[in-house]
């Protein structure tokens, strides 16, 4: 019915206007960076801007807008003109829910551990395991190859998993979050002890 489509369009416009007002400070910074001419205005207007504007309108979770705009601002700050890389970062963000980003930030050392509050076999624990698998599938996190993981997957103990950000995960978190320092993160995990029960590395022979 036509009026349903009109209602949906009005709702999206109202949501976009509200988000613009709520995020006026980062948007003002982005506007100043845009006018500075550090990056081609055509590149922003034709390639990156439409993606950000579309996600600003379509994104269901208000809490994710800070990461969307954070990434957009970093395009200017880093003078990043790698269109494929930028688009891929925004595609990845689009696939994540806010709670997924919070867990990713936990593994990046930016959030507290929420999963320790979950009871064994609870719905919340099941949700966490699903999120872990999603982050792994998107190549944002990786785990140690242990016998424990071979048997139990993401249900293994955290000590056994020894979860870390992947190379892509580190770059992605740095893209959406100003608070993340790659060098500091790498220093923090450098002296971790190897987990027990590591699977032996196979040596292939010709």
């Amino acid at each position: 019915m036509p009026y349903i489509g009109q209602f949906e369009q009005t709702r999206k416009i109202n949501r976009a206007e509200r988000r613009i007002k709520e995020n006026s400070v980062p948007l003002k910074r982005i506007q100043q960076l845009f006018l500075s001419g550090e990056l081609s205005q055509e590149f922003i207007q034709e390639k990156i801007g439409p993606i950000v504007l579309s996600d600003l309108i379509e994104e269901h979770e208000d809490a994710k807008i800070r990461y969307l705009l954070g990434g957009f601002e970093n395009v200017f700050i880093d003078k990043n003109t790698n269109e494929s890389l930028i688009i891929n970062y925004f595609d990845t963000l689009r696939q994540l829910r806010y709670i997924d980003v919070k867990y990713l930030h936990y593994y990046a050392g930016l959030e507290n551990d929420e999963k320790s509050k979950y009871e064994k076999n609870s719905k919340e624990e099941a949700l966490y395991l699903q999120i872990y698998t999603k982050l792994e599938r998107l190549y944002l996190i990786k785990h140690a190859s242990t016998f424990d993981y071979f048997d139990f997957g993401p249900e293994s103990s955290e000590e056994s998993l020894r979860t870390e950000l992947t190379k892509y995960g580190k770059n992605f978190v740095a893209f959406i979050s100003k608070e993340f320092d790659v060098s500091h993160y790498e220093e923090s995990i450098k002296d971790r002890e190897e987990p027990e029960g590591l699977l032996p590395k196979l040596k292939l022979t010709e």
Side-chain angles (χ1 to χ4, degrees):
M1 291 178 281
Y3 71 87
I4 295 179
Q6 185 178 1
F7 172 79
E8 178 66 11
Q9 191 67 20
T10 301
R11 186 181 67 83
K12 288 182 179 180
I13 291 172
N14 291 339
R15 182 169 64 190
E17 289 177 346
R18 174 175 55 77
R19 286 174 173 173
I20 289 170
K21 289 179 181 178
E22 291 173 351
N23 294 277
S24 60
V25 173
L27 284 169
K28 188 172 292 185
R29 289 198 303 265
I30 290 169
Q31 183 183 32
Q32 291 170 344
L33 289 166
F34 174 73
L35 294 174
S36 72
E38 293 286 346
L39 285 179
S40 164
Q41 293 192 359
E42 181 181 358
F43 173 69
I44 297 299
Q45 289 176 326
E46 300 295 327
K47 304 294 185 181
I48 308 305
I51 295 172
V52 175
L53 178 60
S54 175
D55 287 351
L56 183 69
I57 295 171
E58 298 292 340
E59 173 55 51
H60 292 286
E61 294 183 291
D62 289 336
K64 275 181 62 184
I65 299 302
R66 59 178 290 198
Y67 304 120
L68 172 69
L69 297 181
F72 193 26
E73 187 173 354
N74 274 330
V75 170
F76 292 96
I77 293 172
D78 297 336
K79 298 180 178 60
N80 191 345
T81 57
N82 188 329
E83 181 182 348
S84 296
L85 182 63
I86 295 168
I87 290 174
N88 203 68
Y89 286 151
F90 285 127
D91 284 347
T92 300
L93 180 61
R94 202 175 299 119
Q95 293 179 69
L96 298 173
R97 301 268 44 100
Y98 176 63
I99 191 172
D100 302 334
V101 178
K102 282 185 69 71
Y103 275 114
L104 181 61
H105 277 183
Y106 162 64
Y107 290 118
L110 299 176
E111 293 277 353
N112 295 323
D113 181 10
E114 292 292 326
K115 67 183 179 60
S116 60
K117 302 176 183 177
Y118 302 154
E119 293 182 10
K120 190 71 176 173
N121 300 321
S122 66
K123 293 179 180 179
E124 291 78 12
E125 185 196 40
L127 174 61
Y128 159 71
L129 294 173
Q130 187 272 341
I131 291 170
Y132 188 97
T133 304
K134 180 196 288 189
L135 296 177
E136 194 176 24
R137 175 175 54 81
L138 291 172
Y139 188 57
L140 293 166
I141 61 173
K142 62 181 179 179
H143 58 82
S145 297
T146 62
F147 286 103
D148 200 23
Y149 187 87
F150 186 77
D151 287 336
F152 303 107
E155 295 184 51
S156 308
S157 68
E158 185 156 340
E159 293 75 18
S160 175
L161 287 172
R162 204 196 60 177
T163 305
E164 297 179 6
L165 301 182
T166 62
K167 291 180 180 178
Y168 179 75
K170 286 183 280 190
N171 293 334
F172 174 73
V173 175
F175 180 75
I176 64 171
S177 304
K178 289 182 179 180
E179 306 87 11
F180 183 67
D181 184 298
V182 175
S183 299
H184 182 267
Y185 171 77
E186 290 178 344
E187 188 67 26
S188 71
I189 65 171
K190 186 174 64 175
D191 298 323
R192 282 186 180 180
E193 293 183 4
E194 291 286 348
E196 295 182 3
L198 277 175
L199 289 169
K201 293 183 179 180
L202 299 178
K203 294 184 179 180
L204 301 179
T205 57
E206 295 183 357

